[in-house]
Amino acid sequence: EEKPSSAKGGQHPHLDRDRIQIVQQRIRYATFLILAILAAFLFYGYRRKWFSSPKPLQDFILGLGPIGYLLAITLIILNTLFPVIPGALPQLATFMAYGGWLGYSMVLIASIIGSVISFLIAKHYGDTFVKAFVPDDLFHKIRDKIKDEKTASLLLLIAYLVPGFPDDATTMVVGLTDMKLSRFILLWFI
């Protein structure tokens, strides 16, 4: 079964563009909703002085009990899939709330889960999914550098090791290649 939109482009480019625009519009709506919720959370947190030191935010998240764990992990996974929350805020908040090994382990586990899901979704849905999240110029810049699995692996390693490199976008674009999931996970842990 051939996908309507593959890494090489679909048979009907205008249909691909239409699908991409629809997905991008839905993402914009979801982004607006998430940012509105985030703004309300930040405003509420500011009024409660959560950000003056780690203690108030930690008390809030810990006060949620088991739901706090689930919320923190879910936010990190979602931010990996849909990078709309600036920087590493969910990771930082989780580490601040749970500290030490527990916070680090939660961030690590949630990040790998989010990256694997992103890789697999890109592999399954192809260009349409990836182009909905990755700006066209960045998509082509990354894709044009990938000549084979070796260059895809090197690019992925650089993305994960160099701060500021578009690692989420690179993960999605590499998901369009023939790279196996096992190799991807190995590279993620290096």
Side-chain angles (χ1 to χ4, degrees):
E1 175 182 23
E2 187 175 285
K3 295 176 194 168
S5 176
S6 67
K8 296 175 183 151
Q11 293 178 339
H12 306 286
H14 66 283
L15 293 177
D16 287 345
R17 272 193 304 275
D18 292 344
R19 287 179 58 202
I20 290 168
Q21 288 175 345
I22 290 168
V23 172
Q24 285 175 331
Q25 185 177 25
R26 289 179 182 161
I27 290 169
R28 280 193 289 276
Y29 291 140
T31 300
F32 176 77
L33 179 64
I34 290 169
L35 289 176
I37 292 168
L38 180 63
F41 175 77
L42 292 173
F43 178 75
Y44 183 75
Y46 175 77
R47 305 252 311 148
R48 308 268 313 196
K49 300 188 186 324
W50 285 349
F51 310 115
S52 58
S53 73
K55 186 80 173 119
L57 181 59
Q58 180 181 13
D59 291 344
F60 171 75
I61 293 176
L62 292 175
L64 294 174
I67 293 174
Y69 292 98
L70 186 61
L71 177 66
I73 288 173
T74 302
L75 280 174
I76 294 169
I77 291 171
L78 288 175
N79 196 49
T80 303
L81 289 171
F82 312 107
V84 296
I85 301 173
L89 283 180
Q91 291 90 334
L92 184 60
T94 299
F95 189 76
M96 284 173 56
Y98 296 102
W101 286 106
L102 179 59
Y104 174 77
S105 298
M106 288 174 64
V107 168
L108 182 70
I109 290 167
S111 294
I112 185 63
I113 290 170
S115 293
V116 166
I117 292 170
S118 180
F119 178 84
L120 291 174
I121 289 174
K123 194 165 277 308
H124 181 75
Y125 290 105
D127 284 3
T128 302
F129 170 78
V130 176
K131 287 182 177 179
F133 290 97
V134 180
D136 231 20
D137 58 329
L138 181 59
F139 173 83
H140 290 292
K141 192 182 290 185
I142 294 169
R143 191 186 66 184
D144 292 347
K145 287 183 169 79
I146 299 173
K147 305 299 180 210
D148 53 24
E149 191 169 344
K150 185 178 178 180
T151 57
S153 298
L154 181 62
L155 195 60
L156 197 59
L157 277 174
I158 292 169
Y160 288 144
L161 294 174
V162 177
F165 203 89
D167 57 335
D168 294 327
T170 304
T171 295
M172 290 180 193
V173 175
V174 169
L176 299 174
T177 70
D178 292 333
M179 183 179 288
K180 291 186 168 120
L181 178 61
S182 58
R183 183 174 183 89
F184 171 78
I185 292 171
L186 177 68
L187 291 168
W188 195 94
F189 276 106
I190 290 180

